[in-house]
Amino acid sequence: MAVVIYSVATNSHAEKAGIVKGETLLSINSNDIVDVLDYRFYQVNRNLSLEIQGINGEIRTVNIRKSEYEEIGLEFETYLMDKQHSCRNKCIFCFIDQLPKGMRESLYFKDDDSRLSFLFGNYITLTNITEHEIDRIIKMHISPINVSVHTTNPELRCKMMNNRFAGDTLKYLKRFADAGITLHCQIVSCPGINDGAELVRTLNDLDELGVEMTAIVPVGLTRYREGLYPLVPYNKETAGQTIDIIEEIGNKSKEKCGRRKFFPGDEFFILAERPIPEPDYYEDFSALEDGIGMIAFLTDDVKWVLEELEYDDTLSHTITCVCGEGVFPFMKDIMALINEKFPNITINTYAIKNNFFGGGINVSGLVTGGDLIEQLKGKALGDKLIIPSSMLRFENDLFLDDVSTDDVERELNVPLQAVNNNGEQLVRAVITKESDKDE
């Protein structure tokens, strides 16, 4: 295997050694280079011997001496240095299969790439991984690895993922655990499928395996499920029953090893109409990206920020903050905390109903620009409109329906400000007038 060099950084070790764009990197210190993990792992050493194939096909050895962990300066056409691995499963709960037609092409891509698990925290199913990749993860001690488990019942896993190999690949969990690889796991819980007794089995199996953390989230169902497996949403009763299972086993793991390990998603508490736990319930908030503890984290973070700020009744402007329907009551409470310190700021808080996806989708991260425009049109929004950054793609310019932030600002005639799930950012966004932002 080999990778073509797309460019060479100016004044880098590679440029000084005579390596040029268009040549091919074959190996580093006799280790074949296949992708980004190989390259990053083997380039950290001080003394490197690179096997390079020139543009005309000749092969030469280039020796480089550098500081440990210092970059050598080679750049490649894609970050992964090859194509992203796509998912081979047809999960009965797959959200991508529930998307409407006509959205941008990238949204329909299902990744299942072990490299993205390590680099960006993406979850993998282990059904798309080779023995070479398993051995490499263990050899490089790549950790943590994030695994979508869903169930440890092999037959049920095959059924849920529509992949006859899905049950057999559970053996890789033990291989990773035995090698000291930290495992973060995820379970998409579907009523009547992998909850109840099956969830008890799965959590006990994962506890025995010694996983570090497992996030359990309720299945999300849109209105675009024609022809798909018949799933039902959680209700108050079934959500409460699932919380009870997770907390019982989580409490046992905490007694045994000092850590809870198993955490229900915030949406379970919302559906069950139960209070959100206190921040210490979530320990180190290791599963925030999975929707675990986001409400408790933001509320606590805002309180910490406000403690450091003086009461100020001189600030007098109007802002609007929006969120999904599920988190709306909690966002109202957070805005009330800010208002206690800054009583003359008018804060409008609106829940945006998800008409685009429909079904039971009520999380902020899936609110679209079109729904924002439709539901806020004609309202007095004040100085600016604050939205969670989770509504936007990574570049912070487009909503899921391809409506841009510029479109929203133009249609609603108000500046838009996206904020992360961060107390400092949110408080500053509320108390700073748009006209004062850059002063």
Side-chain angles (χ1 to χ4, degrees):
M1 298 295 291
V3 287
V4 175
I5 298 164
Y6 190 72
S7 65
V8 180
T10 303
N11 295 324
S12 65
H13 290 287
E15 184 186 60
K16 293 173 182 176
I19 301 174
V20 299
K21 174 182 177 180
E23 294 188 310
T24 300
L25 174 63
L26 302 177
S27 68
I28 297 178
N29 291 347
S30 300
N31 297 289
D32 292 342
I33 303 301
V34 175
D35 58 25
V36 64
L37 292 189
D38 292 325
Y39 176 67
R40 294 201 171 278
F41 184 75
Y42 292 116
Q43 74 151 349
V44 300
N45 296 322
R46 291 185 175 90
N47 298 312
L48 303 179
S49 177
L50 280 63
E51 190 176 25
I52 300 291
Q53 183 174 33
I55 296 173
N56 296 324
E58 75 283 0
I59 296 176
R60 71 185 189 279
T61 298
V62 174
N63 295 312
I64 291 176
R65 296 187 66 183
K66 63 176 187 61
S67 300
E68 192 173 16
Y69 298 108
E70 186 181 5
E71 295 280 338
I72 60 178
L74 298 182
E75 297 173 0
F76 305 91
E77 185 172 8
T78 64
Y79 184 81
L80 292 174
M81 297 164 58
D82 71 347
K83 291 183 179 180
Q84 188 173 340
H85 298 167
S86 61
C87 184
R88 296 176 178 175
N89 308 306
K90 184 74 173 175
C91 295
I92 62 174
F93 51 81
C94 180
F95 192 82
I96 293 176
D97 289 341
Q98 303 178 70
L99 296 178
K101 295 179 180 179
M103 301 176 73
R104 59 180 178 272
E105 187 176 348
S106 62
L107 293 176
Y108 299 99
F109 181 81
K110 305 176 185 180
D111 83 78
D112 194 8
D113 199 314
S114 61
R115 299 162 301 181
L116 295 177
S117 175
F118 173 65
L119 295 168
F120 301 113
N122 295 30
Y123 280 89
I124 59 173
T125 65
L126 301 177
T127 61
N128 194 31
I129 197 167
T130 65
E131 285 292 333
H132 166 75
E133 288 177 292
I134 295 290
D135 291 340
R136 181 172 68 166
I137 288 170
I138 293 172
K139 177 182 179 182
M140 295 180 177
H141 201 78
I142 294 173
S143 188
I145 291 294
N146 305 296
V147 182
S148 290
V149 175
H150 308 311
T151 176
T152 54
N153 178 334
E155 293 77 19
L156 180 58
R157 195 168 196 255
C158 292
K159 174 185 174 181
M160 291 187 70
M161 301 174 75
N162 277 304
N163 185 325
R164 62 192 177 96
F165 302 107
D168 184 57
T169 56
L170 287 168
K171 65 187 178 186
Y172 296 138
L173 289 172
K174 186 172 188 332
R175 284 184 61 183
F176 287 147
D178 289 345
I181 304 297
T182 298
L183 291 169
H184 291 172
C185 299
Q186 181 195 61
I187 296 169
V188 176
S189 189
C190 304
I193 307 292
N194 63 332
D195 62 349
E198 288 292 348
L199 181 59
V200 172
R201 168 182 173 162
T202 297
L203 297 187
N204 282 325
D205 287 346
L206 294 178
D207 191 30
E208 186 68 24
L209 200 62
V211 302
E212 182 174 272
M213 184 279 296
T214 300
I216 303 95
V217 297
V219 63
L221 305 177
T222 78
R223 59 190 171 98
Y224 300 97
R225 289 197 55 82
E226 185 176 353
L228 298 179
Y229 190 94
L231 293 174
V232 297
Y234 274 96
N235 56 35
K236 180 179 178 179
E237 180 181 4
T238 54
Q241 291 169 350
T242 302
I243 291 173
D244 292 340
I245 289 172
I246 299 167
E247 291 195 333
E248 180 180 356
I249 298 175
N251 289 337
K252 288 179 181 178
S253 74
K254 188 169 185 178
E255 291 174 6
K256 182 172 67 175
C257 65
R259 298 188 62 255
R260 184 172 296 278
K261 289 190 184 180
F262 305 106
F263 299 95
D266 289 7
E267 195 174 354
F268 273 120
F269 292 99
I270 294 171
L271 291 168
E273 298 178 18
R274 295 189 182 182
I276 296 293
E278 293 298 313
D280 58 0
Y281 175 92
Y282 298 99
E283 299 176 355
D284 59 356
F285 287 103
S286 58
L288 276 176
E289 295 298 320
D290 303 296
I292 309 294
M294 292 184 70
I295 296 170
F297 177 84
L298 183 59
T299 303
D300 192 57
D301 209 24
V302 166
K303 288 178 179 178
W304 275 96
V305 172
L306 291 174
E307 284 183 6
E308 301 298 317
L309 297 176
E310 297 293 331
Y311 178 89
D312 189 344
D313 59 3
T314 66
L315 297 179
S316 179
H317 56 270
T318 299
I319 64 99
T320 296
C321 180
V322 296
C323 59
E325 290 183 300
V327 77
F328 175 69
F330 307 98
M331 189 56 67
K332 285 279 288 184
D333 290 343
I334 289 172
M335 292 299 125
L337 291 173
I338 299 175
N339 252 155
E340 288 178 8
K341 270 285 176 74
F342 304 94
N344 289 326
I345 297 177
T346 300
I347 306 175
N348 302 314
T349 309
Y350 293 112
I352 303 300
K353 181 178 175 60
N354 201 315
N355 295 321
F356 185 85
F357 287 110
I361 302 302
N362 62 7
V363 297
S364 296
L366 296 176
V367 168
T368 63
D371 281 339
L372 271 180
I373 293 170
E374 179 184 358
Q375 295 173 45
L376 296 179
K377 195 82 169 179
K379 296 185 183 296
L381 303 178
D383 189 57
K384 62 180 162 184
L385 174 63
I386 299 173
I387 67 167
S389 59
S390 59
M391 291 183 183
L392 304 173
R393 69 174 183 175
F394 181 77
E395 292 84 355
N396 263 19
D397 61 342
L398 285 181
F399 293 85
L400 282 169
D401 57 354
D402 282 344
V403 171
S404 71
T405 52
D406 289 343
D407 292 334
V408 172
E409 290 185 330
R410 183 182 62 254
E411 292 296 321
L412 297 180
N413 193 32
V414 65
L416 189 69
Q417 184 173 353
V419 299
N420 296 325
N421 195 63
N422 176 285
E424 175 75 22
Q425 287 190 26
L426 180 58
V427 172
R428 292 297 173 190
V430 171
I431 69 176
T432 305
K433 288 183 65 173
E434 186 66 20
S435 57
D436 298 333
K437 192 167 63 173
D438 299 321
E439 291 183 3

